């Protein structure tokens, strides 16, 4: 499994539903979880490893830590309240930007036994779920920025790649 990095076009493609009971996705989720820890991410969506299926793994390092392996996740409720979420993405190394997210969401998904689960999440976990589910639609968090901030973020991303983060400018330029 290789990490696909912006501007790889696979990151812009929508994912297909997994057939319920299709056990071929289980080893994919296992390997995605391994990569999540290896790459020190909070979440990883299948397109980021080149697979256009609705699969997500998340571990936001709560105490105690919980690893979620989600098949066909979808948000079934979101709070009206929005919060500012300072985000990064394994597919956009070194870049961090602030986007608006719903403070709370309810997500429905199938677990690795193909049992339907509903998870209510808030704050960082909620933002992480929204970020990962966006990947399944081919949306990156920078796509949620205004056009001018998007252009600025992409320019900053390319500069960060060239400098290896040496001149990491983490200040907002709003
Ligand atoms: Zn991401």
């Amino acid at each position: 499994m290789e990490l696909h990095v912006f501007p790889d076009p696979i990151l812009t493609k929508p994912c297909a539903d997994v057939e319920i009971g299709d056990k071929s996705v289980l080893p994919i989720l296992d390997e995605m979880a391994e990569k999540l820890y290896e790459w020190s991410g909070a979440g990883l969506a299948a397109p980021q490893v080149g697979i256009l299926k609705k699969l997500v793994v998340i571990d936001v390092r709560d105490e105690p830590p919980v690893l979620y392996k989600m098949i066909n996740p979808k948000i079934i409720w979101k709070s009206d309240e929005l919060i500012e979420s300072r985000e990064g993405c394994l597919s956009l190394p070194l870049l961090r930007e602030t986007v608006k997210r719903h403070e709370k969401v309810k997500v429905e998904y199938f677990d690795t036994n193909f049992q339907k689960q509903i998870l209510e999440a808030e704050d960082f976990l909620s933002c992480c779920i929204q970020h990962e589910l966006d990947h399944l639609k081919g949306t990156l968090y920078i796509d949620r920025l205004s056009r001018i901030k998007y252009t600025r973020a992409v320019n900053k991303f390319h500069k960060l790649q060239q400098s290896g983060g040496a001149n990491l400018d983490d200040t907002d330029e709003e």
Side-chain angles (χ1 to χ4, degrees), residues 43-45 48 87-92 131-132 135 139-141:
L44 183 67
Q48 296 181 273
E87 303 197 2
C89 179
L90 290 172
S91 294
L92 287 147
H131 176 120
E132 299 313 325
H135 274 299
T139 300
L140 297 171
Y141 76 98

Side-chain angles (χ1 to χ4, degrees), residues 10-73:
I10 200 160
L11 297 171
T12 66
K13 301 206 162 98
C15 291
D17 282 317
V18 172
E19 201 180 314
I20 297 311
D22 177 2
K23 291 201 168 106
S24 72
V25 299
L26 303 182
I28 298 174
L29 283 165
D30 288 341
E31 196 175 343
M32 283 172 64
E34 271 173 42
K35 294 297 181 190
L36 179 72
Y37 296 118
E38 187 183 321
W39 297 331
S40 303
L44 183 67
Q48 296 181 273
V49 291
I51 297 167
L52 290 173
K53 288 181 184 201
K54 289 186 184 169
L55 300 170
V56 160
V57 295
I58 292 175
D59 182 346
V60 295
R61 314 299 199 273
D62 271 335
E63 200 49 59
V66 184
L67 170 63
Y68 295 100
K69 293 176 177 173
M70 298 182 176
I71 300 167
N72 295 347

